[in-house]
Amino acid sequence: MYVVTFLEITDVPVKEFLGRVVGSGWKDTFSPNHLLKIFFPVLMTVAPPMSLKLVLDIIRTTTRTLRLERDNLNLEVDFLRSQLNPHFLFNTLNNIYSLSIRNDALASDLIMHLSEMMRYTLYDSNTEMVPLHLEAEFLKNYVELESVRYGKNASIHFDCDTEKMGSYQIAPLLMFPFVENAFKYSHSTTADRCWIHASMDVSDNQLRFEISNSKGELPEGKKVSGGIGLTNTRKRLILLYPDQHILFIENNPEYYKVVLTLKLN
């Protein structure tokens, strides 16, 4: 292995260097001026490759970190899709079965809503971005199916005009946890006091999603299990829409409210 010394770099022969030491003494040889003459050539030779290596290491580390974050993000979305099926199918199929026994025409509508939802989760949402109108239709179908469980005494509304959404794109299942949580926690109120109000609107390249639900005290010993949760949803928003979203959450004893403002591309 060949080692480059500072004497070779500065083209100073060893004999000349030693002669300078003998003739001038150590004081002149290691004087600041002489050391600076040696230091700068060495620095100019060593600094470029070291700087390049440092930059490459930073790029590799940053790329690896972003890749891990994106992989974790994809795993969370996959988990959300898998959680939707067993949790949601059981209640929906029970409702359809009950309606079919009574020959209720609503059963066919529920089957249509369920079919559209399953197609979205299985096929349409398997990309990084999806058409906004498909995401809105998915949420509307979910609200329609869940509303059957609550009955006519509950006040449940979802205002959304999909025709205004044009060709905008959005990350799949981004707002679903908010809708899912609204239905879960509104169960703690009695049927005649239960309400869920949601809306989605697009204006000037900006999406505004709002949902609020009634709350009440849960019976002793009863717990409400959550899905992907607000923590992971916040993380998705930070990773996918940095400096392009505002998430407002209001939680008080009477109701729970979420307002998401999102800049669309």
Side-chain angles (χ1 to χ4, degrees), residues 101-248:
I101 290 178
R102 301 196 303 266
N103 292 323
D104 194 321
L106 183 58
S108 60
D109 293 335
L110 296 185
I111 293 174
M112 181 188 66
H113 292 313
L114 180 60
S115 174
E116 291 178 353
M117 282 193 63
M118 298 309 298
R119 182 177 65 248
Y120 182 78
T121 57
L122 290 174
Y123 304 110
D124 297 336
S125 63
N126 288 327
T127 56
E128 291 186 2
M129 304 295 286
V130 297
L132 180 58
H133 69 89
L134 290 182
E135 180 79 3
E137 289 291 347
F138 168 78
L139 295 178
K140 289 176 67 175
N141 286 324
Y142 182 84
V143 170
E144 289 291 337
L145 290 171
E146 285 284 60
S147 299
V148 176
R149 286 199 297 145
Y150 285 72
K152 297 180 180 180
N153 291 330
S155 175
I156 300 176
H157 303 288
F158 183 30
D159 298 325
C160 176
D161 186 359
T162 56
E163 294 183 358
K164 295 175 58 178
M165 297 181 179
S167 59
Y168 289 114
Q169 301 276 314
I170 194 171
L173 303 174
L174 189 63
M175 293 162 287
F176 174 68
F178 300 128
V179 179
E180 183 185 40
N181 286 340
F183 279 97
K184 286 181 177 179
Y185 286 100
S186 62
H187 265 311
S188 59
T189 56
T190 58
D192 57 342
R193 294 179 52 213
C194 174
W195 57 268
I196 299 174
H197 299 159
S199 64
M200 184 187 298
D201 186 57
V202 177
S203 178
D204 298 328
N205 298 334
Q206 184 170 278
L207 169 69
R208 178 182 172 87
F209 172 79
E210 181 176 338
I211 186 166
S212 56
N213 62 273
S214 57
K215 286 179 58 180
E217 294 184 3
L218 290 171
E220 186 176 352
K222 183 179 179 181
K223 296 181 179 181
V224 178
S225 60
I228 194 173
L230 296 180
T231 301
N232 287 340
T233 303
R234 285 194 180 100
K235 183 161 63 174
R236 289 189 70 200
L237 287 168
I238 293 172
L239 289 174
L240 296 174
Y241 297 94
D243 302 322
Q244 294 181 318
H245 75 278
I246 299 175
L247 179 61
F248 169 78

